[in-house]
Amino acid sequence: MSLQWKGVMPAVTTKFTDDDDLDLKTFELNLNAQLDAGVHGIVLGGTLGEASTLSTSEKRLLTQTTVDLVNNKVPVLINIAEQTTKNAILAAQQAEDDGAAGLMMLPPMRYKAGDQETVTYFKAVASQTSLPIMVYNNPVDYKIEVTLDMFEQLLEHENIQAVKESTRDISNVTRIKNRFGDRLKIMTGVDTLALESLLMGAEGWIAGLVDAFPAETVAIYELQRVGRIQEALQIYRWFLPLLELDIHPKLVQNIKLAEVATGIGTENVRAPRLVLSGEEREHVLNVINSSLKKRPQLPDYKNLQ
């Protein structure tokens, strides 16, 4: 299906059984909660999806299963995070065969590629797939920044269309708009800067805590979209302590614990990750439970004009 770079797209978690297999039943439960809340797309196999722990066959099964379950309601994207150009091209072609509508793509993994190496890597993949591509620009966590000059070269490929903006520099949204206008769509990728980024002109939000709180996330987006900023801000201020669970090395465990609290997930993670324990677990539970006690009443955000 056609892909529009706008709205809320959950970076969904991958669900595992107690035996460390894919838990497609719980995955479907969470996916339905996202769709019911009105999300605008689904992103598979990202950081929250524990991409580095998934086999190729598991990624392909997740893509095929999601495409079937979504049934053209929203586009399905799969993340490309590979160490070699050859494997990145293969992953992109497999995603296309499996029915994905687009790709989220990281720079080369493990090797800290130089600027020209990074540009060449993205271009090589773009030239071998017809799928639209969103470049994931997260120099904080992945140590490679895709600069505006690099994007100038990348945009020679029509299917490189969007950026997941995760530099954590809010002014970068304006820099991108000033340089590229609407040619490069901006999907904010940092939960704690989401509303600010949307108000500065980002078209959408690749979200994390949406996995546990889909309705609240979509409500913020829809309210700001129609100019009801104060209502969006009120929900966002309530949400912030939860959103801060996303900007943490253990964001996967944090968000999965939140999914348990809202009844749409399990804590199971894949080793070497371990479930939270001790004081760390108590802290996260306190954030979640304190927020649940003050959970806001949402307006009818699905029918805003």
Side-chain angles (χ1 to χ4, degrees), residues 241-305:
L242 289 162
L243 297 178
E244 288 176 333
L245 298 176
D246 183 58
I247 52 169
H248 188 279
K250 294 187 179 178
L251 73 165
V252 175
Q253 292 95 318
N254 292 346
I255 291 175
K256 284 193 168 183
L257 194 55
E259 289 178 331
V260 172
T262 56
I264 53 175
T266 72
E267 278 192 81
N268 293 337
V269 290
R270 177 164 280 176
R273 286 184 176 88
L274 299 173
V275 297
L276 299 178
S277 62
E279 292 183 4
E280 192 172 39
R281 179 186 179 83
E282 289 305 312
H283 167 71
V284 175
L285 281 173
N286 182 59
V287 171
I288 295 168
N289 292 330
S290 296
S291 298
L292 284 172
K293 290 177 183 177
K294 299 178 288 185
R295 198 169 186 176
Q297 185 74 30
L298 300 178
D300 181 15
Y301 66 87
K302 294 182 182 180
N303 296 296
L304 300 176
Q305 300 298 324

Coordinates of all heavy atoms in Angstrom, one line a residue, residues 241-305:
P241 N 6.8 11.8 32.3 CA 7.6 10.8 33.1 C 7.7 9.4 32.5 O 8.7 8.7 32.6 CB 6.8 10.8 34.4 CG 6.2 12.1 34.5 CD 5.8 12.4 33.1
L242 N 6.6 9.1 31.8 CA 6.6 7.8 31.0 C 7.5 7.9 29.8 O 8.2 6.9 29.5 CB 5.2 7.4 30.6 CG 4.2 7.0 31.8 CD1 2.8 7.1 31.3 CD2 4.6 5.6 32.2
L243 N 7.4 9.0 29.1 CA 8.2 9.1 27.9 C 9.7 9.1 28.2 O 10.5 8.6 27.4 CB 7.9 10.4 27.2 CG 6.4 10.6 26.7 CD1 6.2 12.0 26.1 CD2 6.1 9.5 25.7
E244 N 10.1 9.5 29.4 CA 11.5 9.4 29.7 C 12.0 8.0 29.9 O 13.2 7.8 29.9 CB 11.7 10.2 31.0 CG 11.6 11.7 30.8 CD 11.7 12.6 32.0 OE1 11.4 12.1 33.1 OE2 12.2 13.8 31.9
L245 N 11.1 7.1 30.0 CA 11.5 5.6 30.0 C 12.1 5.2 28.7 O 12.8 4.2 28.6 CB 10.4 4.7 30.4 CG 9.7 5.0 31.8 CD1 8.5 4.1 32.0 CD2 10.8 4.7 32.9
D246 N 11.8 6.0 27.7 CA 12.3 5.6 26.3 C 13.7 6.1 26.1 O 14.4 5.5 25.2 CB 11.3 6.3 25.3 CG 11.7 5.9 23.8 OD1 11.7 4.7 23.5 OD2 12.0 6.8 23.0
I247 N 14.2 7.1 26.7 CA 15.5 7.6 26.5 C 16.5 7.0 27.6 O 17.1 7.8 28.4 CB 15.6 9.1 26.4 CG1 14.9 9.8 27.7 CG2 14.9 9.6 25.1 CD1 15.1 11.3 27.8
H248 N 16.6 5.7 27.6 CA 17.4 5.0 28.6 C 17.9 3.7 28.0 O 17.3 3.2 27.1 CB 16.4 4.6 29.8 CG 17.1 4.1 30.9 ND1 17.4 2.7 31.0 CD2 17.4 4.6 32.1 CE1 18.0 2.5 32.2 NE2 18.0 3.6 32.9
P249 N 19.1 3.3 28.4 CA 19.7 2.1 27.8 C 18.8 0.9 27.9 O 18.9 0.0 27.0 CB 21.0 1.9 28.6 CG 21.3 3.3 29.1 CD 20.0 3.9 29.3
K250 N 17.9 0.8 28.9 CA 17.0 -0.3 29.1 C 15.6 0.1 28.7 O 14.6 -0.4 29.3 CB 17.1 -0.8 30.5 CG 18.4 -1.4 30.9 CD 18.4 -2.1 32.2 CE 19.8 -2.7 32.5 NZ 19.9 -3.4 33.8
L251 N 15.5 0.8 27.6 CA 14.2 1.2 27.1 C 13.3 0.0 26.7 O 12.1 0.1 26.9 CB 14.3 2.2 25.9 CG 14.7 1.6 24.5 CD1 14.4 2.6 23.4 CD2 16.2 1.2 24.5
V252 N 13.9 -1.0 26.2 CA 13.1 -2.2 25.9 C 12.4 -2.8 27.1 O 11.2 -3.0 27.1 CB 14.0 -3.3 25.2 CG1 13.1 -4.5 24.9 CG2 14.5 -2.7 23.9
Q253 N 13.2 -3.0 28.2 CA 12.6 -3.6 29.4 C 11.6 -2.6 30.0 O 10.6 -3.0 30.5 CB 13.7 -3.9 30.4 CG 14.7 -5.0 30.0 CD 15.9 -4.6 29.3 OE1 15.9 -3.7 28.4 NE2 17.1 -5.2 29.6
N254 N 11.9 -1.3 30.0 CA 11.0 -0.3 30.6 C 9.7 -0.4 29.9 O 8.6 -0.4 30.5 CB 11.6 1.1 30.4 CG 12.9 1.3 31.2 OD1 13.2 0.5 32.1 ND2 13.6 2.4 31.0
I255 N 9.7 -0.3 28.6 CA 8.5 -0.2 27.8 C 7.7 -1.6 27.9 O 6.4 -1.6 27.9 CB 8.7 0.2 26.4 CG1 9.2 1.7 26.4 CG2 7.5 0.1 25.5 CD1 9.6 2.3 25.1
K256 N 8.4 -2.7 27.9 CA 7.7 -3.9 28.0 C 7.0 -4.0 29.4 O 5.9 -4.6 29.5 CB 8.6 -5.1 27.8 CG 8.9 -5.3 26.3 CD 9.6 -6.7 26.0 CE 9.7 -7.0 24.5 NZ 10.2 -8.3 24.2
L257 N 7.6 -3.5 30.4 CA 7.0 -3.5 31.7 C 5.7 -2.6 31.7 O 4.7 -2.9 32.3 CB 8.0 -3.0 32.8 CG 7.6 -3.2 34.3 CD1 7.3 -4.7 34.6 CD2 8.7 -2.7 35.2
A258 N 5.8 -1.5 31.0 CA 4.6 -0.7 30.8 C 3.5 -1.4 30.1 O 2.3 -1.2 30.4 CB 5.0 0.6 30.1
E259 N 3.9 -2.2 29.1 CA 2.9 -2.9 28.3 C 2.2 -3.9 29.2 O 1.0 -4.2 29.1 CB 3.6 -3.7 27.2 CG 4.0 -2.8 26.0 CD 4.7 -3.6 24.9 OE1 5.4 -4.7 25.2 OE2 4.7 -3.2 23.8
V260 N 2.9 -4.5 30.2 CA 2.3 -5.4 31.1 C 1.2 -4.7 31.9 O 0.1 -5.1 32.2 CB 3.3 -6.1 32.0 CG1 2.7 -6.9 33.2 CG2 4.2 -7.0 31.2
A261 N 1.6 -3.5 32.4 CA 0.7 -2.7 33.3 C -0.5 -2.3 32.6 O -1.6 -2.1 33.2 CB 1.5 -1.4 33.8
T262 N -0.5 -2.1 31.2 CA -1.7 -1.7 30.5 C -2.4 -2.9 29.8 O -3.3 -2.8 29.1 CB -1.4 -0.6 29.5 OG1 -0.4 -1.1 28.6 CG2 -0.9 0.6 30.1
G263 N -1.9 -4.1 30.1 CA -2.5 -5.3 29.7 C -2.4 -5.7 28.2 O -3.1 -6.5 27.7
I264 N -1.3 -5.2 27.6 CA -1.1 -5.5 26.1 C 0.3 -6.0 25.8 O 0.8 -5.8 24.7 CB -1.5 -4.3 25.2 CG1 -0.8 -3.1 25.6 CG2 -3.0 -4.1 25.2 CD1 -1.0 -1.9 24.7
G265 N 0.9 -6.7 26.8 CA 2.3 -7.2 26.5 C 2.8 -8.1 27.6 O 2.1 -8.3 28.6
T266 N 4.0 -8.6 27.5 CA 4.6 -9.4 28.5 C 6.0 -8.8 28.7 O 6.5 -8.0 27.9 CB 4.8 -10.8 28.1 OG1 5.8 -10.9 27.0 CG2 3.5 -11.4 27.6
E267 N 6.7 -9.2 29.8 CA 8.0 -8.7 30.1 C 9.1 -9.4 29.3 O 10.3 -9.0 29.4 CB 8.3 -8.9 31.6 CG 7.8 -7.8 32.5 CD 8.3 -7.9 33.9 OE1 9.5 -7.4 34.1 OE2 7.7 -8.4 34.7
N268 N 8.8 -10.5 28.7 CA 9.9 -11.4 28.1 C 10.8 -10.6 27.2 O 10.3 -10.0 26.2 CB 9.3 -12.6 27.4 CG 8.6 -13.5 28.4 OD1 8.9 -13.5 29.6 ND2 7.7 -14.3 27.9
V269 N 12.1 -10.7 27.4 CA 13.1 -10.1 26.5 C 14.0 -11.2 26.1 O 14.0 -12.3 26.7 CB 13.8 -9.0 27.2 CG1 13.0 -7.8 27.4 CG2 14.4 -9.4 28.5
R270 N 14.8 -11.0 25.1 CA 15.8 -12.0 24.6 C 17.2 -11.7 25.1 O 17.6 -10.5 25.0 CB 15.7 -12.1 23.1 CG 16.7 -13.0 22.5 CD 16.4 -13.4 21.0 NE 15.3 -14.3 20.9 CZ 14.8 -14.7 19.8 NH1 15.2 -14.2 18.6 NH2 13.8 -15.7 19.7
A271 N 17.8 -12.7 25.7 CA 19.2 -12.6 26.2 C 20.1 -12.0 25.1 O 19.9 -12.4 23.9 CB 19.7 -13.9 26.7
P272 N 21.0 -11.2 25.4 CA 21.5 -10.9 26.8 C 20.7 -10.0 27.6 O 21.1 -9.8 28.8 CB 22.9 -10.3 26.5 CG 22.8 -9.6 25.2 CD 21.9 -10.5 24.4
R273 N 19.6 -9.4 27.1 CA 18.8 -8.6 28.0 C 18.2 -9.5 29.1 O 17.9 -10.6 28.9 CB 17.7 -7.9 27.2 CG 18.1 -6.8 26.3 CD 16.9 -6.1 25.6 NE 17.4 -4.9 24.9 CZ 17.8 -5.0 23.6 NH1 17.8 -6.1 23.0 NH2 18.2 -3.9 23.0
L274 N 18.0 -8.9 30.2 CA 17.3 -9.5 31.3 C 16.1 -8.6 31.8 O 16.2 -7.4 31.6 CB 18.2 -9.7 32.5 CG 19.4 -10.7 32.3 CD1 20.3 -10.6 33.5 CD2 19.0 -12.1 31.9
V275 N 15.1 -9.2 32.3 CA 14.0 -8.4 32.8 C 14.5 -7.5 34.0 O 15.5 -7.9 34.6 CB 12.8 -9.2 33.3 CG1 12.2 -10.0 32.1 CG2 13.2 -10.2 34.4
L276 N 13.9 -6.4 34.2 CA 14.3 -5.5 35.3 C 14.1 -6.2 36.7 O 13.2 -7.0 36.9 CB 13.5 -4.2 35.3 CG 13.6 -3.4 34.0 CD1 12.7 -2.2 34.1 CD2 15.0 -3.0 33.7
S277 N 15.0 -5.8 37.6 CA 14.9 -6.4 38.9 C 15.3 -5.4 40.0 O 15.9 -4.3 39.6 CB 15.7 -7.7 39.1 OG 17.1 -7.3 38.8
G278 N 15.1 -5.6 41.2 CA 15.6 -4.8 42.3 C 15.1 -3.4 42.3 O 13.9 -3.1 41.9
E279 N 15.9 -2.5 42.7 CA 15.6 -1.0 42.8 C 15.3 -0.5 41.4 O 14.4 0.4 41.3 CB 16.7 -0.3 43.4 CG 17.0 -0.6 44.9 CD 18.0 0.3 45.5 OE1 18.6 1.2 44.8 OE2 18.4 0.1 46.7
E280 N 15.9 -0.9 40.4 CA 15.7 -0.5 39.0 C 14.2 -0.8 38.6 O 13.5 0.1 38.1 CB 16.7 -1.2 38.1 CG 16.7 -0.6 36.7 CD 17.9 -1.2 35.9 OE1 18.1 -2.4 36.0 OE2 18.5 -0.4 35.1
R281 N 13.8 -2.0 38.9 CA 12.4 -2.4 38.6 C 11.4 -1.6 39.4 O 10.4 -1.1 38.9 CB 12.3 -3.9 38.9 CG 10.9 -4.4 38.6 CD 10.8 -5.9 39.0 NE 9.4 -6.4 38.8 CZ 9.0 -6.9 37.7 NH1 9.8 -6.9 36.6 NH2 7.7 -7.3 37.5
E282 N 11.7 -1.4 40.7 CA 10.8 -0.6 41.5 C 10.6 0.8 41.1 O 9.6 1.4 41.1 CB 11.3 -0.7 43.0 CG 11.2 -2.0 43.6 CD 9.7 -2.6 43.6 OE1 8.8 -1.8 43.9 OE2 9.5 -3.7 43.2
H283 N 11.7 1.4 40.6 CA 11.7 2.8 40.1 C 10.8 2.9 38.9 O 9.9 3.7 38.8 CB 13.1 3.3 39.8 CG 13.0 4.5 39.0 ND1 12.7 5.8 39.5 CD2 13.3 4.8 37.6 CE1 12.7 6.7 38.6 NE2 13.1 6.1 37.4
V284 N 10.9 1.9 37.9 CA 10.1 2.0 36.7 C 8.7 1.7 37.0 O 7.8 2.4 36.5 CB 10.7 1.0 35.7 CG1 9.8 0.9 34.5 CG2 12.1 1.4 35.3
L285 N 8.4 0.8 37.9 CA 7.0 0.5 38.3 C 6.4 1.7 39.0 O 5.2 2.0 38.8 CB 7.0 -0.7 39.3 CG 7.1 -2.1 38.6 CD1 7.2 -3.2 39.6 CD2 5.9 -2.4 37.7
N286 N 7.2 2.4 39.8 CA 6.6 3.6 40.5 C 6.2 4.6 39.4 O 5.2 5.3 39.6 CB 7.7 4.1 41.4 CG 7.1 5.3 42.2 OD1 6.1 5.3 42.9 ND2 7.8 6.5 42.0
V287 N 7.1 4.8 38.4 CA 6.7 5.8 37.4 C 5.5 5.4 36.7 O 4.5 6.2 36.4 CB 7.9 5.9 36.3 CG1 7.5 6.7 35.1 CG2 9.1 6.5 37.0
I288 N 5.4 4.1 36.3 CA 4.2 3.6 35.6 C 2.9 3.7 36.4 O 1.9 4.2 36.0 CB 4.4 2.2 35.1 CG1 5.6 2.1 34.1 CG2 3.1 1.6 34.6 CD1 6.1 0.7 33.9
N289 N 3.0 3.2 37.7 CA 1.8 3.2 38.5 C 1.4 4.6 38.9 O 0.2 4.9 39.0 CB 2.1 2.3 39.8 CG 2.2 0.9 39.4 OD1 1.6 0.4 38.5 ND2 3.0 0.1 40.2
S290 N 2.3 5.5 39.2 CA 2.0 6.9 39.5 C 1.2 7.5 38.3 O 0.3 8.3 38.5 CB 3.2 7.7 39.9 OG 3.8 7.2 41.0
S291 N 1.7 7.2 37.1 CA 1.1 7.8 35.9 C -0.3 7.2 35.7 O -1.3 7.9 35.3 CB 1.9 7.6 34.7 OG 3.2 8.2 34.9
L292 N -0.5 5.9 35.9 CA -1.8 5.3 35.7 C -2.8 5.9 36.7 O -4.0 6.0 36.3 CB -1.6 3.8 35.9 CG -1.0 3.0 34.8 CD1 -0.8 1.5 35.2 CD2 -1.8 3.1 33.5
K293 N -2.4 6.2 37.9 CA -3.4 6.8 38.8 C -3.9 8.2 38.4 O -5.0 8.6 38.8 CB -2.7 7.0 40.2 CG -2.4 5.6 40.9 CD -1.7 5.9 42.2 CE -1.3 4.5 42.9 NZ -0.5 4.7 44.1
K294 N -3.2 8.8 37.5 CA -3.5 10.2 37.0 C -3.8 10.1 35.5 O -3.8 11.2 34.9 CB -2.4 11.2 37.3 CG -2.1 11.3 38.8 CD -1.0 12.3 39.0 CE 0.4 11.7 38.6 NZ 1.5 12.6 38.9
R295 N -4.1 9.0 35.0 CA -4.3 8.8 33.6 C -5.4 9.8 33.1 O -6.6 9.8 33.6 CB -4.7 7.4 33.2 CG -4.5 7.0 31.8 CD -4.6 5.5 31.6 NE -4.3 5.1 30.2 CZ -4.2 3.8 29.8 NH1 -4.4 2.9 30.7 NH2 -3.9 3.6 28.6
P296 N -5.2 10.6 32.1 CA -6.2 11.6 31.7 C -7.4 11.0 30.9 O -7.3 10.0 30.3 CB -5.4 12.6 30.8 CG -4.3 11.7 30.2 CD -4.0 10.7 31.3
Q297 N -8.5 11.7 31.0 CA -9.6 11.4 30.2 C -9.4 12.1 28.8 O -9.1 13.2 28.7 CB -10.9 12.0 30.8 CG -12.2 11.7 30.1 CD -12.6 10.2 30.3 OE1 -12.3 9.7 31.4 NE2 -13.3 9.7 29.4
L298 N -9.5 11.3 27.8 CA -9.2 11.8 26.4 C -10.4 12.3 25.7 O -11.5 11.7 25.9 CB -8.5 10.6 25.6 CG -7.2 10.1 26.1 CD1 -6.8 8.9 25.2 CD2 -6.2 11.1 26.3
P299 N -10.3 13.3 24.9 CA -11.4 13.8 24.1 C -11.6 12.8 22.9 O -10.8 11.8 22.7 CB -10.9 15.1 23.6 CG -9.4 15.0 23.5 CD -9.0 14.1 24.7
D300 N -12.6 13.0 22.1 CA -12.9 12.2 21.0 C -11.9 12.6 19.9 O -12.2 13.3 18.9 CB -14.3 12.4 20.5 CG -14.7 11.5 19.3 OD1 -13.9 10.6 19.0 OD2 -15.7 11.8 18.7
Y301 N -10.7 12.2 20.0 CA -9.6 12.6 19.1 C -9.7 12.0 17.8 O -9.0 12.4 16.8 CB -8.2 12.3 19.8 CG -7.9 10.8 19.9 CD1 -7.3 10.1 18.9 CD2 -8.2 10.1 21.1 CE1 -7.1 8.7 19.0 CE2 -8.0 8.8 21.2 CZ -7.4 8.1 20.2 OH -7.1 6.7 20.3
K302 N -10.5 10.9 17.6 CA -10.5 10.3 16.3 C -11.4 11.0 15.2 O -11.3 10.7 14.1 CB -11.0 8.8 16.4 CG -10.1 7.9 17.2 CD -10.7 6.5 17.3 CE -9.9 5.6 18.1 NZ -10.4 4.2 18.2
N303 N -12.1 11.9 15.7 CA -13.1 12.6 14.8 C -12.8 14.1 14.7 O -13.8 14.9 14.6 CB -14.5 12.3 15.2 CG -14.8 10.9 15.1 OD1 -14.8 10.3 14.0 ND2 -15.1 10.2 16.2
L304 N -11.6 14.5 14.9 CA -11.3 16.0 14.8 C -11.1 16.5 13.4 O -10.6 15.8 12.5 CB -9.9 16.2 15.6 CG -9.9 15.8 17.1 CD1 -8.5 16.0 17.6 CD2 -10.9 16.5 17.9
Q305 N -11.6 17.7 13.2 CA -11.5 18.3 11.9 C -10.6 19.5 11.9 O -10.5 20.2 12.9 CB -12.9 18.7 11.4 CG -13.9 17.6 11.3 CD -13.6 16.5 10.3 OE1 -13.0 16.8 9.3 NE2 -13.8 15.3 10.6

